[in-house]
Amino acid sequence: MENNKQNNQRRTFLKSLAGLTAGMMLPLSSINAEGKAIPSPYMRDRLGDLLPKRKFGKSDLSVTMLGLGGAHIARMKESEAQKTIERALEGGIRFFDNAESYGGGTGERRYGQFLTPKYRDLAFIQSKSTARDGKTAQEHLEGTLSRMKTDYIDLWLIHAVTSPGDVDSRLKNGVLDYVLKAKESGKVKHIGFSGHSDYNAHLRMLESTDELEACQMPINAFDPNYKSFITNVMPKLMEKGMAPCAMKTLANGGFFGGTTHFNSGDKPRIVPNVLTVEEAIYFSWSLPISVLVTGADHADMLTEKIDFAKRFKAFDEKKRQELISRVSGFDGKSVEYYKV
């Protein structure tokens, strides 16, 4: 009975998303008096055409629908990291993710080498802090700004909340207080939080404060079947007018049979046995997310995602449900091994 109830709740919520995704997208062009399409000014900058943009929560801000993940940038050879960052810019990506913990600061240093010196005015940069107290959060932010050679970041997240108790502890120890102070000072423009372990941690954060503007979490076609962030957290984000930022759209390797971060493995594979990569990515974009942060192993892998974004057409509710059902027979502990 409980499973049936959860399935009904899932279907009701996913059905309610109809039209929300379209509302996130900004128009690509307007029509002049002669009936010709004029590219919207926010779809180009000094480097050329941008990928389509989406609204960032209830703010006036918009961000490109695809973002470059910093964890993989930290793991690459330096030359490939530079190539991948440049490929992102050439392909119209303007959202760049990172965290102080990625490669012990290597990911942020590479943005300081290859992104901010020439392109700080174009890039929307997100970073994150795993700090458990306010003093450490301050140290993390100072390090982030120094490594990325910038005097502000666009979005700073309280990173990787793991449980309601973890949220309570961080708030008690002054993490949010410092995050708010950093925003007031101008060192941070927007603030939020992230996590992939337990949706209950997200619910605790959302019930504890109305100050945050964005939330990064797993959003993929398997998620509604197992300890779901989409079903349990996204409705709250919509209510609060927050910006949902998608990560783990391929379950961090879990769709490829992997059971450790970034790796494929010998477990049953959703991709390519049941879904294509394109179907999996389009599922996530068909939900009302502001940005999909992709972890690319190299520049050519990023090009694939850029091409997906350029030809994206949203799946309707029937198609989304079909994909969820298609993957429902897989073991959640294997596919989304990072959930607890």
Side-chain angles (χ1 to χ4, degrees), residues 240-256:
K240 285 175 171 275
M242 293 176 64
C245 303
M247 64 173 171
K248 293 182 169 53
T249 52
L250 297 168
N252 212 28
F255 276 25
F256 302 97

Side-chain angles (χ1 to χ4, degrees), residues 182-200:
K183 181 181 178 183
E184 184 177 357
S185 73
K187 293 180 179 179
V188 172
K189 302 300 182 184
H190 303 275
I191 57 176
F193 73 103
S194 74
H196 59 245
S197 300
D198 182 1
Y199 69 79
N200 289 296

Side-chain angles (χ1 to χ4, degrees), residues 63-327:
V63 295
T64 53
M65 65 189 289
L66 182 63
L68 178 63
H72 288 66
I73 291 294
R75 297 174 66 246
M76 297 175 187
K77 291 181 179 180
E78 185 174 292
S79 58
E80 189 64 27
Q82 180 178 6
K83 182 179 178 182
T84 302
I85 292 167
E86 291 174 350
R87 185 73 56 83
L89 290 161
E90 293 165 3
I93 291 173
R94 296 296 181 266
F95 188 106
F96 293 86
D97 159 83
N98 227 303
E100 51 79 27
S101 59
Y102 293 162
T106 298
E108 292 182 331
R109 278 190 288 272
R110 287 178 172 171
Y111 281 2
Q113 287 176 276
F114 307 123
L115 179 63
T116 59
K118 293 182 180 179
Y119 309 111
R120 183 65 189 95
D121 60 316
L122 306 181
F124 182 96
I125 299 176
Q126 163 183 290
S127 197
K128 309 184 277 292
S129 168
T130 56
R132 262 62 184 178
D133 61 74
K135 181 177 181 294
T136 305
Q138 180 175 356
E139 293 169 355
H140 282 179
L141 181 59
E142 290 172 354
T144 288
L145 295 173
S146 175
R147 286 186 290 273
M148 294 205 285
K149 299 178 182 177
T150 183
D151 56 2
Y152 74 96
I153 53 176
D154 299 282
L155 176 58
W156 195 36
L157 305 184
I158 299 171
H159 188 31
V161 296
T162 59
S163 67
D166 178 38
V167 171
D168 292 344
S169 177
R170 294 202 211 191
L171 298 186
K172 179 181 178 181
N173 291 326
V175 172
L176 179 60
D177 292 337
Y178 181 72
V179 168
L180 292 170
K181 181 178 178 181
K183 181 181 178 183
E184 184 177 357
S185 73
K187 293 180 179 179
V188 172
K189 302 300 182 184
H190 303 275
I191 57 176
F193 73 103
S194 74
H196 59 245
S197 300
D198 182 1
Y199 69 79
N200 289 296
H202 288 54
L203 296 179
R204 179 61 62 86
M205 184 69 83
L206 292 172
E207 70 185 21
S208 299
T209 178
D210 291 322
E211 300 285 352
L212 303 178
E213 302 163 79
C215 172
Q216 189 170 13
M217 63 185 189
I219 297 178
N220 61 64
F222 187 80
D223 171 87
N225 293 298
Y226 181 67
K227 300 181 178 181
S228 177
F229 285 84
I230 294 172
T231 304
N232 292 291
V233 179
M234 192 173 282
K236 302 294 184 183
L237 301 181
M238 297 294 97
E239 289 173 11
K240 285 175 171 275
M242 293 176 64
C245 303
M247 64 173 171
K248 293 182 169 53
T249 52
L250 297 168
N252 212 28
F255 276 25
F256 302 97
T259 53
T260 58
H261 278 33
F262 310 112
N263 296 324
S264 59
D266 58 2
K267 300 292 183 181
R269 299 187 177 202
I270 287 177
V271 176
N273 297 348
V274 180
L275 298 180
T276 66
V277 172
E278 185 173 41
E279 284 178 320
I281 297 297
Y282 279 19
F283 174 90
S284 300
W285 269 327
S286 296
L287 300 180
I289 62 173
S290 293
V291 62
L292 185 155
V293 176
T294 188
D297 291 338
H298 47 76
D300 290 343
M301 185 179 288
L302 180 62
T303 297
E304 175 190 50
K305 306 307 185 302
I306 290 170
D307 290 343
F308 288 167
K310 289 179 178 179
R311 62 176 185 259
F312 169 70
K313 292 184 179 180
F315 292 154
D316 60 18
E317 189 264 340
K318 182 179 179 181
K319 179 66 173 180
R320 293 196 302 265
Q321 290 289 356
E322 187 233 315
L323 297 184
I324 293 168
S325 296
R326 228 194 274 175
V327 301

